[in-house]
Amino acid sequence: MQKNTILALSLLGSQLINAQQQNLVKYVNPLIGTEKMGHTFPGATVPFGAVQLSPETDSIPYAVNHKYNPRVYDYCAGYRYEDSTITGFSHTHFNGTGHSDLGDFLIMPTVGKLQLNPGTAKNPESGYRSRFSHSTEKVEAGYYKVKLDDYNVIAEMTASNRVGFHQYTFPKSDQSHIVFDLNAGIYNYDDKNTWTYVRVVNDTLVTGYRQTRGWARNRTVYFAMTFSKPFKNYGQKNEDGQVDYKGFWRKWNQDQNFPLIEGKNIKMYFDFATNQDEKVKIKFAISPVSQSNALENLNAEIPHWNFEQVKEEAKQNWNKELNRIQIKASEDHKTNFYTAMYHAFINPTTYMDVNGQYKGLDQEVHQAKDFTNYTTFSLWDTYRALHPLFNIIQPTRNNDMIKSMMKHYDQNPIKMLPIWSHYANENWCMSGYHSVTLIADAIVKGTYNGDANKALDACIVTANKRDYEGIGDYIDKGYIPAEKNGTSVSNTLEYAFDDWSIAQAAKKLNRMDVYETFIKRSENWKNNYDSSIGFMRPKLADGSFKKEFDPLSTHGQGFIEGNTWNYSFFVPQDPIALMNIMGGKKSFTKKLDDLFSMHLPDEYFADTEDITREGIIGGYVHGNEPAHHVAYLYNWAGQPWKTQEKIRTILDMQYKPTPDGLGGNDDTGQMSAWYIFSALGFYSVQQGADEYAIGSPLVDHAVLNLENGKQFEIEVKNQSKKNVYIQKIELNGKKYSSFNLKHQDIVNGGKIVFYMGEKPKK
Amino acid sequence: MQKNTILALSLLGSQLINAQQQNLVKYVNPLIGTEKMGHTFPGATVPFGAVQLSPETDSIPYAVNHKYNPRVYDYCAGYRYEDSTITGFSHTHFNGTGHSDLGDFLIMPTVGKLQLNPGTAKNPESGYRSRFSHSTEKVEAGYYKVKLDDYNVIAEMTASNRVGFHQYTFPKSDQSHIVFDLNAGIYNYDDKNTWTYVRVVNDTLVTGYRQTRGWARNRTVYFAMTFSKPFKNYGQKNEDGQVDYKGFWRKWNQDQNFPLIEGKNIKMYFDFATNQDEKVKIKFAISPVSQSNALENLNAEIPHWNFEQVKEEAKQNWNKELNRIQIKASEDHKTNFYTAMYHAFINPTTYMDVNGQYKGLDQEVHQAKDFTNYTTFSLWDTYRALHPLFNIIQPTRNNDMIKSMMKHYDQNPIKMLPIWSHYANENWCMSGYHSVTLIADAIVKGTYNGDANKALDACIVTANKRDYEGIGDYIDKGYIPAEKNGTSVSNTLEYAFDDWSIAQAAKKLNRMDVYETFIKRSENWKNNYDSSIGFMRPKLADGSFKKEFDPLSTHGQGFIEGNTWNYSFFVPQDPIALMNIMGGKKSFTKKLDDLFSMHLPDEYFADTEDITREGIIGGYVHGNEPAHHVAYLYNWAGQPWKTQEKIRTILDMQYKPTPDGLGGNDDTGQMSAWYIFSALGFYSVQQGADEYAIGSPLVDHAVLNLENGKQFEIEVKNQSKKNVYIQKIELNGKKYSSFNLKHQDIVNGGKIVFYMGEKPKK
């Protein structure tokens, strides 16, 4: 290298370092969380991509003849590692949810006798499904491969943002088929399809749409599908039978090759003759708006048939995002960390075509100007750590997500920010109104680049919807009478915290009247605290506490996804006040100790949702979110070493580099974001404060490559499985004695050094 | 008047005469055809308007639990003059069809106890319906008024193209309601609604859509509705119960005033307090594309609340169209004539928003450039006289209709011109492929201003769809084996005629290879003629005629809507050849005479569809279309006086200025167009020829005000009920001895004089 080149490079400074991308995708294992309750999917997607092209191993209907089937949630992600057959590959999946939907447009290559039903796992020959073995799977970020044993077909898939790319290597056969099942799906029930529509435009291009009333009551996904090779024949079977495009008049005497197909329950097939090892490729684009937009997406994103190129681009796309945080750690920790990064960067998903059009909550087509529209907002989960993480390392996307939420608000005749929203629908799932919290977090940290006052106004309006989930009573009485609402306590606690975040944003914007109102509301948590038992407890309209109450139970006690042992600590806005009300430091820390050390009897575990037995530490439930901040509360009680110890215990026990490695649903990245924060040594306890609580870093070293071009470096000296206790901290070369890390100290760039030891530093 | 003014006026010539509009709307009686089988609707619409705002008197479901109910067709138009209750006013109606659909968005004003079901005619108190009396009805072109006796509410309605304007005059009440039933509709069945969606934007604006799987398998109509006065409260009832917008989570504790409503079977209400005689007005716009387009339509077409102004504009709009033909005749004849003009100008309907967007057959949104997109093509009916009539007096619209049909073709993956199409759907109803005929008619007459060769290509492709309704056999064998197709004979006869029209267009475009092919095909009618019985007859695949055959019966004999007595004359392309094959002039005319004089026993009438007993003259069925040209065939047999006599008989017997005045379905204007032509003295027997057959004019005088600024004048001397026989004809002052009138002689302007007498001029 010539001297002047070296000079030039050194002058480039941090940009150069940003450019030094490491090969991090090799640490991503998308199979983590596919076993037991993780509800992750193993298939191909790109960061925040609209398409998640992934295998389905079975499908449990939500209900048959309106009889609810609780096992439906086993298949939230379509794929379960425990299974031994694959029914096909579909294009849309949530990452790690506890509720479900999607699974649109299932494609399955088959050979031999044509079958249009999936058949059963016990008897795979009864349908189009195939046996498979994990030994033939190759699962990478942006790439999935498996051998379909029953057909001797190698299935490979990759994706761009809006296009799934299939590559099927067939044996020699005159009876090779692509089955296209528009009736298959996740969270299906008798009548889930509202309508499906297919146009066979020519012998390589098919377009159409699927409209469903699933969890989202009214969801339409349009598609355009191209084949690399013309099909010989095609046909359909409308299981509904009542209505198809040939109509009441039955004018056509052909069942095959009829190019316009409509109905509720359509299954199609496309026939090919294939040579040995012949590859049949399919590009499958989706759109929220139209068939023509789907086709435009397809041609814009993948205008060729080079599967390897798309696979490589997907990989580089992931690598670029993963390099936002570069760590040094053991191989297993790197796998956990970068798989967590991978899972954190799947949802929310792009919900906009390449031309900027998207469907709004008003079911109208809108044109996005100067932002990317996102959907899949599981906000009860993600306001805690995922969006705060984005606020640091994905601020552009976090801004666009908030703008998407503001569009939701504008398009919503109810004028309410999203609660749980996907695909232009509001699902009203879980308690609280946490969109206000992540918006406040962005306002307070100064990262929101939209109209902050308008966003705060939307938060205020949302927080005053008196007819929603007891908000009126909450405002009037300071709590929600237990008679009126099944989750009266979790709602009150979460509203109070959300109100505190609104107050912080108001303060930042110097709107002190708003601040006063909401800071007062933020104290409402006190109204559900029963000092006689030392727990949060449902309160009746007459002001008395509900008599029958079981602190160990999750159901029917006024909470959701957590018992009062977990929820009683849900006052992140004021841990000191909580400590005081609980009897002071000693009493408070004892209660925290008890939480982590108690035994939760099996009968109580059984009614704890969405987690595995391993998802519990004592009575602390990490597999659900309400207590995600709790281990950090020791900091406020002057026992940070217990935070450090608990954090490392949770990191070790709840995250493993194996398919069953997650102790509960990944919850669209919240569990993963908790891991990323905590592994780096800090966590967002108070969304809406401009600081983070320090825990115990798991990494040996980390660099956060920020979008502003700056870097924040984390060095962890003497870190080991035993050396989990912080002995000393230096920030930018100076001793740092606080257990809070300022947001500005991160985004301004700099370096923090943790000195670790095996003994608590009391 | 000053001299120079007189001079200027006389120089203006024909333009001046065009401008001298007469008050012709006073002769329109929309009640004609509302009784018995006319299937016309009495409500408010403008010429070719998208909205037909009209009362519903009941609704018979197509089927309940999949059991077909033949009475469904009684309510094709929603209103039956025989009924004594009104269930409400909805916004879309076919004019005079024999199949049905539509009836979208029923609105009903009520007072007192809120009811959300229509109740029964026997017990009107059981629902929201009201008794009414014809004595309170005022029914005009573009205006409908009635008193709803049970509520003491005066209901008035008018319309612009895309907006229905309601005006309800209420009594004093604190319990005045507007019921909005999204589940009501025409041709309903258990599961007709695919989805409905409503947004209450504010206390005067509501938007949404209704998606149905009715006769059209997949039809969506969007709406925007504004109230002149804010409602106090609103609410909904989802009869489905399974899914509503509050969702599985039931987060909202309000049933009223929840602004986002979705489900399959939604019924809404809006509450008002009204003073005595207070008017509550509603403007209700529809769109094929979106809610925002509906709102744009609303604001563009009626930006004010002046009901009288819109009513007056609708009237002037009608008057302008009616003045395209100005006649002198008796008052009754004028009523028949201008009501026929009114009915002829309802369908096809505008299917495009003010911004030019429409939904195509591909279910995608398209932008119309340089044409108005139309829908509601009942082509088996309308190719005969309605489109030929348009080709003379509405050539601009007829061009746009053909362009709309060409878009249908382009958007159709089947690549076929429409058969029976409405609202971006193909219904495949009836026999033949008659879109080719009306396109050929426009090409041959030189009025089509699009790409004629491209249009001819579409005709050729359509006529070669081997898998449709026996076309393959028809091409190969020259007929359709009766085993294969229930309407094998009518299909063969109609294909043969349609092919002749294609040949004529090909000749005009000098594509003689196409001409040769299709002129040969046009002789295929001969293959179904059984000379042993002298009738068209189903033929089996082996070439023998079907043994069991009843010439009087309509059903199961190989025909649709006509027995062989009527269909055997269906060779309009070559009456001479038909005459010869039937044994020459004498034998042919005797058969015609027998047709008009025979007695059709009751049991045979019973299986003749869509007509009244009065719709038959002998065995001639005027209430259906296949024989509409037959009375004119005497001209070819050298007995024009019999044509003259029969035409006048039909005009007298089949068209009366009373609610029961139509002898069969108006068939989207075909019956009316037959009247208009025949009353003027000529008729389009051969669509695709550049001439018309002369009959016997009913009018005393007529002026056709053509779009090219020219006028064609018809003077009928000595005409009377007895003087139906033409004694002499003069064209432009010269004696005219042909019984064919050239199209060019009409459009070039000029004058024809008929001299009538009471004796046949043999």
Side-chain angles (χ1 to χ4, degrees), chain A residues 197 199 209 211 217-218 244 249 251 262 291-292 361-362 364 411 426-428 430 469, chain B residues 197 199 209 211 217-218 244-245 249 251 262 291-292 361-362 364 411 426-428 430 469:
Chain A
Y197 176 94
R199 291 161 51 85
Y209 64 80
Q211 183 181 0
R217 272 157 302 286
N218 186 6
D244 62 30
W249 297 90
K251 296 283 192 174
E262 287 188 273
Q291 301 163 71
S292 49
L361 190 71
D362 54 6
E364 295 273 294
Q411 292 154 1
E426 173 58 86
N427 306 322
W428 309 121
M430 305 304 291
E469 279 269 82
Chain B
Y197 176 94
R199 291 161 51 84
Y209 65 81
Q211 182 180 2
R217 272 158 303 287
N218 186 6
D244 64 29
Y245 196 77
W249 298 90
K251 296 284 192 173
E262 288 188 272
Q291 300 161 72
S292 48
L361 189 72
D362 53 8
E364 297 272 294
Q411 292 152 1
E426 172 58 87
N427 306 322
W428 307 121
M430 305 305 290
E469 280 268 83

Side-chain angles (χ1 to χ4, degrees), chain A residues 139-346:
Chain A
V139 189
E140 300 172 357
Y143 177 65
Y144 177 86
K145 179 182 181 182
V146 70
K147 184 178 171 200
L148 300 168
D149 292 332
D150 291 356
Y151 303 119
N152 198 22
V153 168
I154 305 291
E156 294 173 278
M157 41 218 63
T158 185
S160 64
N161 191 331
R162 299 162 182 88
V163 188
F165 198 153
H166 308 241
Q167 177 167 278
Y168 298 113
T169 305
F170 277 92
K172 181 172 176 59
S173 173
D174 283 341
Q175 291 186 69
S176 294
H177 315 286
I178 296 292
V179 171
F180 180 38
D181 189 342
L182 288 102
N183 196 31
I186 295 171
Y187 201 74
N188 262 12
Y189 64 106
D190 301 358
D191 203 21
K192 180 174 179 180
N193 275 10
T194 314
W195 202 251
T196 52
Y197 176 94
V198 180
R199 291 161 51 85
V200 182
V201 180
N202 58 46
D203 61 5
T204 57
L205 175 62
V206 181
T207 69
Y209 64 80
R210 178 182 190 230
Q211 183 181 0
T212 57
R213 56 190 300 211
W215 189 32
R217 272 157 302 286
N218 186 6
R219 191 175 66 89
T220 305
V221 189
Y222 297 84
F223 74 88
M225 161 169 64
T226 55
F227 295 89
S228 61
K229 171 181 179 161
F231 41 79
K232 288 192 303 180
N233 287 300
Y234 65 95
Q236 62 94 15
K237 188 178 165 193
N238 185 352
E239 301 242 315
D240 183 87
Q242 196 187 343
V243 176
D244 62 30
Y245 195 77
K246 291 186 277 182
F248 301 129
W249 297 90
R250 310 279 165 201
K251 296 283 192 174
W252 295 86
N253 66 9
Q254 62 190 140
D255 287 320
Q256 278 197 322
N257 302 327
F258 191 77
L260 190 34
I261 301 146
E262 287 188 273
K264 290 186 72 166
N265 298 319
I266 284 169
K267 298 170 176 209
M268 293 190 68
Y269 60 90
F270 300 90
D271 296 336
F272 299 85
T274 50
N275 292 320
Q276 184 62 37
D277 296 331
E278 181 172 352
K279 288 177 169 55
V280 174
K281 303 178 198 181
I282 300 170
K283 292 185 290 193
F284 197 105
I286 62 173
S287 159
V289 169
S290 67
Q291 301 163 71
S292 49
N293 276 14
L295 191 56
E296 189 179 345
N297 293 341
L298 194 152
N299 292 327
E301 293 189 354
I302 313 184
H304 56 75
W305 285 103
N306 189 335
F307 183 88
E308 290 303 319
Q309 181 184 331
V310 176
K311 176 185 164 190
E312 182 61 25
E313 284 166 0
K315 183 178 164 183
Q316 290 312 320
N317 197 339
W318 274 113
N319 212 44
K320 184 180 146 219
E321 297 297 334
L322 299 176
N323 270 277
R324 287 175 187 257
I325 305 181
Q326 296 169 322
I327 66 164
K328 289 176 188 161
S330 74
E331 291 296 290
D332 272 3
H333 287 161
K334 276 189 164 177
T335 298
N336 280 335
F337 189 91
Y338 285 110
T339 303
M341 288 279 279
Y342 169 82
H343 282 144
F345 291 172
I346 292 176

Side-chain angles (χ1 to χ4, degrees), chain A residues 62 66 73 99 187 189 191 194-201 209 211 213-215 217-218 222 240 242-254 258-260 262-264 289-293 360-365 408 410-416 419 424-431 465-470 473 484-485 487 491 560, chain B residues 62 66 73 99 187 189 191 194-201 209 211 213-215 217-218 222 240 242-254 258-260 262-264 289-293 360-365 408 410-416 419 424-431 465-470 473 484-485 487 491 560:
Chain A
Y62 164 72
H66 305 300
Y73 296 118
H99 209 293
Y187 201 74
Y189 64 106
D191 203 21
T194 314
W195 202 251
T196 52
Y197 176 94
V198 180
R199 291 161 51 85
V200 182
V201 180
Y209 64 80
Q211 183 181 0
R213 56 190 300 211
W215 189 32
R217 272 157 302 286
N218 186 6
Y222 297 84
D240 183 87
Q242 196 187 343
V243 176
D244 62 30
Y245 195 77
K246 291 186 277 182
F248 301 129
W249 297 90
R250 310 279 165 201
K251 296 283 192 174
W252 295 86
N253 66 9
Q254 62 190 140
F258 191 77
L260 190 34
E262 287 188 273
K264 290 186 72 166
V289 169
S290 67
Q291 301 163 71
S292 49
N293 276 14
L361 190 71
D362 54 6
Q363 295 296 313
E364 295 273 294
V365 176
H408 175 114
D410 288 339
Q411 292 154 1
N412 189 348
I414 301 170
K415 292 298 165 206
M416 200 164 168
I419 300 294
N425 279 260
E426 173 58 86
N427 306 322
W428 309 121
C429 185
M430 305 304 291
S431 48
K465 289 288 163 188
R466 296 183 58 89
D467 289 308
Y468 180 73
E469 279 269 82
D473 282 320
K484 294 197 182 174
N485 188 281
T487 56
N491 269 322
I560 188 164
Chain B
Y62 164 71
H66 305 303
Y73 296 118
H99 208 293
Y187 201 73
Y189 63 105
D191 202 21
T194 314
W195 203 250
T196 52
Y197 176 94
V198 180
R199 291 161 51 84
V200 182
V201 180
Y209 65 81
Q211 182 180 2
R213 57 191 301 211
W215 189 32
R217 272 158 303 287
N218 186 6
Y222 297 84
D240 184 85
Q242 197 184 345
V243 177
D244 64 29
Y245 196 77
K246 291 188 275 180
F248 301 129
W249 298 90
R250 309 277 166 201
K251 296 284 192 173
W252 294 86
N253 66 9
Q254 63 191 137
F258 191 79
L260 188 35
E262 288 188 272
K264 290 185 73 167
V289 168
S290 67
Q291 300 161 72
S292 48
N293 276 14
L361 189 72
D362 53 8
Q363 295 295 314
E364 297 272 294
V365 176
H408 176 114
D410 289 339
Q411 292 152 1
N412 188 348
I414 300 169
K415 292 297 166 208
M416 201 163 167
I419 300 295
N425 280 259
E426 172 58 87
N427 306 322
W428 307 121
C429 183
M430 305 305 290
S431 48
K465 289 289 165 188
R466 298 183 58 89
D467 289 308
Y468 179 75
E469 280 268 83
D473 281 322
K484 294 196 181 174
N485 187 283
T487 56
N491 268 321
I560 186 163

Side-chain angles (χ1 to χ4, degrees), chain A residues 101-139:
Chain A
D101 207 346
L102 315 185
D104 299 297
F105 306 120
L106 184 130
I107 281 181
M108 180 67 180
T110 71
V111 175
K113 183 189 156 202
L114 177 67
Q115 299 197 85
L116 290 179
N117 277 303
T120 62
K122 278 188 185 166
N123 182 16
E125 285 81 6
S126 62
Y128 57 64
R129 76 173 67 207
S130 170
R131 294 174 187 82
F132 78 107
S133 158
H134 293 302
S135 66
T136 68
E137 278 184 318
K138 195 170 173 189
V139 189

Side-chain angles (χ1 to χ4, degrees), chain B residues 345-488:
Chain B
F345 292 171
I346 292 176
N347 293 129
T349 49
T350 305
Y351 193 61
M352 185 181 95
D353 292 318
V354 291
N355 64 11
Q357 290 188 327
Y358 67 97
K359 185 168 280 186
L361 189 72
D362 53 8
Q363 295 295 314
E364 297 272 294
V365 176
H366 296 270
Q367 182 75 37
K369 287 181 189 114
D370 306 327
F371 79 105
T372 298
N373 192 59
Y374 287 95
T375 192
T376 320
F377 289 107
S378 181
L379 295 164
W380 181 84
D381 301 299
T382 58
Y383 83 91
R384 301 166 202 264
L386 186 67
H387 287 283
L389 178 69
F390 291 163
N391 212 359
I392 300 171
I393 61 166
Q394 293 275 11
T396 299
R397 284 201 170 89
N398 202 50
N399 266 306
D400 284 357
M401 289 164 192
I402 293 173
K403 286 172 186 169
S404 305
M405 291 160 63
M406 287 300 294
K407 290 294 178 189
H408 176 114
Y409 177 86
D410 289 339
Q411 292 152 1
N412 188 348
I414 300 169
K415 292 297 166 208
M416 201 163 167
L417 287 160
I419 300 295
W420 208 127
S421 174
H422 79 284
Y423 283 71
N425 280 259
E426 172 58 87
N427 306 322
W428 307 121
C429 183
M430 305 305 290
S431 48
Y433 34 73
H434 301 295
S435 47
V436 311
T437 310
L438 75 96
I439 290 172
D441 196 50
I443 291 173
V444 167
K445 288 172 182 162
T447 55
Y448 183 53
N449 65 8
D451 182 336
N453 275 295
K454 187 161 181 279
L456 178 60
D457 289 340
C459 293
I460 296 165
V461 170
T462 299
N464 282 299
K465 289 289 165 188
R466 298 183 58 89
D467 289 308
Y468 179 75
E469 280 268 83
I471 290 179
D473 281 322
Y474 169 83
I475 293 171
D476 296 342
K477 288 174 169 288
Y479 70 98
I480 303 167
E483 304 96 313
K484 294 196 181 174
N485 187 283
T487 56
S488 61

